[in-house]
Amino acid sequence: MSSYNVALNFEDGVTRFVECKAGEKVLDAAFRAKINLPMDCSDGVCGTCKCRAESGSYDMGDDYIEDALSADEKDSGLVLTCQMVPQSDCVIAVPASSTACKTEQSRFAATVTKVETHNDAAVVLELDVGAAAPVFLPGQYVNIDVPGSGVRRSYSFSSAPGESRIGFLIKKIAGGAMSSWLDHAQPGNAVEMTGPLGSFYLRAVERPLLFLAGGTGLAPFLSMLEVLARTSSQQRVHLIYGVTRDLDLVQVEAIEAYTAKLPNFSYATVVADAESKHPRTGWATQHIPADALNDGNVDVYLCGPPPMVDAVRKYFDDNGVKPNSFHYEKFTPNAATVNA
């Protein structure tokens, strides 16, 4: 009999995955995992367990009343977890905090397998988590404890979910806690982390995609691209990767590899430095092809430093660009990831 992974995304950014057995309702699977989702009646009468299904297929049956879930609400993707029976892996947005549901972030340990420095710009960090491969949504991040410092830093996965080897693309910060540790980190060193976290992740792919990455904000897109490749996606995907200097262009060969793995994938690199000899200079917004916006029938994902995120949002507003959906994540050095 089949079982399905159901991602419960809480409003405080915490994500927990529960296994839902064939024919099992989401509320029952969550309770079995000791996660107390909101509920009162559990009979499809009160509507207290109402959540939003963001992806996946499921059966709601007809054993609930209109007052608990109207036809319009159902059509818009709202569900009653006490009635929802998954028929595939699903993602559910829960309108409550993880603490209110008496759950918390997952914690896991890993060992360093690779530390690869790219100029003074970034470090590729790879970790081995053994059999306890973390489950996450492509685009999400974890908080990594910096050994010996008493602080933690937030980094997006650059690898696909469910792998025993996980990867991160980390910006080098002179004097930064993580950068200082990475300067002498060796294979076999132990690290601990908590997560996954974040509301920035790849939704169901139903239309063309435009990815906008700034600097090490490339990391979550590498995870997304790998998932798209593994699912043999045929959708059109265009990635614009913008950096400040030529030396900041890292892992371009990894991006290039997806032109062979994804039949409708294209990308462009952009360097802001006016003195650069790169073929494309300036800002990412200056290099968005009209066809990539697909007259608004496009899902846009943006990850980069706050000035880039603000500039793209202003560009869209000033030019009347209204994509079908727009998901973005700001990041700042030495601070937790901010999601919107």
Side-chain angles (χ1 to χ4, degrees):
M1 296 180 68
S2 299
S3 63
Y4 304 108
N5 280 326
V6 177
L8 302 173
N9 287 338
F10 298 94
E11 63 181 10
D12 54 357
V14 172
T15 299
R16 285 293 308 276
F17 286 82
V18 297
E19 180 188 13
C20 208
K21 299 176 181 177
E24 186 176 28
K25 296 171 181 176
V26 170
L27 186 67
D28 295 333
F31 282 176
R32 186 161 48 79
K34 297 181 171 57
I35 300 172
N36 296 331
L37 292 181
M39 60 84 67
D40 276 335
C41 72
S42 76
D43 293 319
V45 174
C46 70
T48 304
C49 68
K50 194 178 298 178
C51 294
R52 180 172 298 280
E54 297 194 330
S55 69
S57 59
Y58 52 87
D59 181 17
M60 277 292 296
D62 54 12
D63 193 20
Y64 60 91
I65 66 172
E66 177 82 7
D67 286 346
L69 185 72
S70 69
D72 287 344
E73 288 176 323
K74 181 181 178 182
D75 290 345
S76 73
L78 292 177
V79 296
L80 301 175
T81 58
C82 74
Q83 302 298 312
M84 177 185 178
V85 178
Q87 296 178 327
S88 73
D89 292 347
C90 294
V91 178
I92 299 173
V94 181
S97 69
S98 59
T99 52
C101 297
K102 295 183 171 55
T103 187
E104 59 185 11
Q105 302 169 18
S106 299
R107 190 164 179 83
F108 52 99
T111 56
V112 174
T113 58
K114 178 181 177 182
V115 180
E116 181 179 273
T117 301
H118 289 258
N119 306 311
D120 64 347
V123 176
V124 171
L125 174 65
E126 291 185 1
L127 305 173
D128 189 341
V129 292
V135 183
F136 56 91
L137 300 171
Q140 288 191 306
Y141 69 96
V142 289
N143 289 326
I144 302 179
D145 295 347
V146 182
S149 72
V151 300
R152 60 178 52 175
R153 295 290 181 257
S154 303
Y155 299 106
S156 300
F157 292 97
S158 60
S159 51
E163 297 291 316
S164 61
R165 292 280 182 97
I166 58 177
F168 303 92
L169 180 60
I170 298 174
K171 180 177 177 62
K172 283 186 70 78
I173 304 293
M178 179 61 83
S179 294
S180 297
W181 178 74
L182 287 171
D183 284 340
H184 61 264
Q186 298 292 326
N189 288 165
V191 296
E192 292 189 347
M193 61 198 78
T194 53
L197 295 150
S199 57
F200 183 76
Y201 55 85
L202 186 65
R203 271 67 174 179
V205 180
E206 299 172 343
R207 58 190 59 80
L209 301 171
L210 173 61
F211 292 165
L212 302 171
T216 52
L218 174 67
F221 295 113
L222 294 175
S223 179
M224 293 180 188
L225 288 170
E226 182 60 23
V227 168
L228 290 170
R230 292 184 184 186
T231 55
S232 302
S233 175
Q234 300 299 304
Q235 276 292 359
R236 186 152 48 92
V237 183
H238 186 64
L239 166 69
I240 300 177
Y241 174 27
V243 298
T244 303
R245 314 165 303 161
D246 291 337
L247 290 177
D248 297 327
L249 282 173
V250 300
Q251 293 203 298
V252 176
E253 68 285 350
I255 301 172
E256 174 66 28
Y258 286 105
T259 60
K261 298 177 184 178
L262 287 166
N264 295 305
F265 172 66
S266 59
Y267 74 95
T269 52
V270 181
V271 178
D273 183 4
E275 302 300 318
S276 170
K277 301 302 182 184
H278 194 72
R280 289 166 298 277
T281 58
W283 309 114
T285 51
Q286 297 173 297
H287 298 277
I288 300 177
D291 62 348
L293 293 172
N294 201 37
D295 294 325
N297 187 30
V298 62
D299 292 327
V300 179
Y301 292 81
L302 163 64
C303 184
M308 179 183 181
V309 173
D310 293 341
V312 172
R313 294 178 65 192
K314 184 176 187 303
Y315 173 83
F316 281 2
D317 288 343
D318 291 348
N319 291 275
V321 177
K322 296 180 180 179
N324 176 77
S325 69
F326 181 24
H327 311 280
Y328 64 88
E329 181 169 73
K330 297 180 181 181
F331 68 82
T332 56
N334 302 320
T337 306
V338 178
N339 301 280

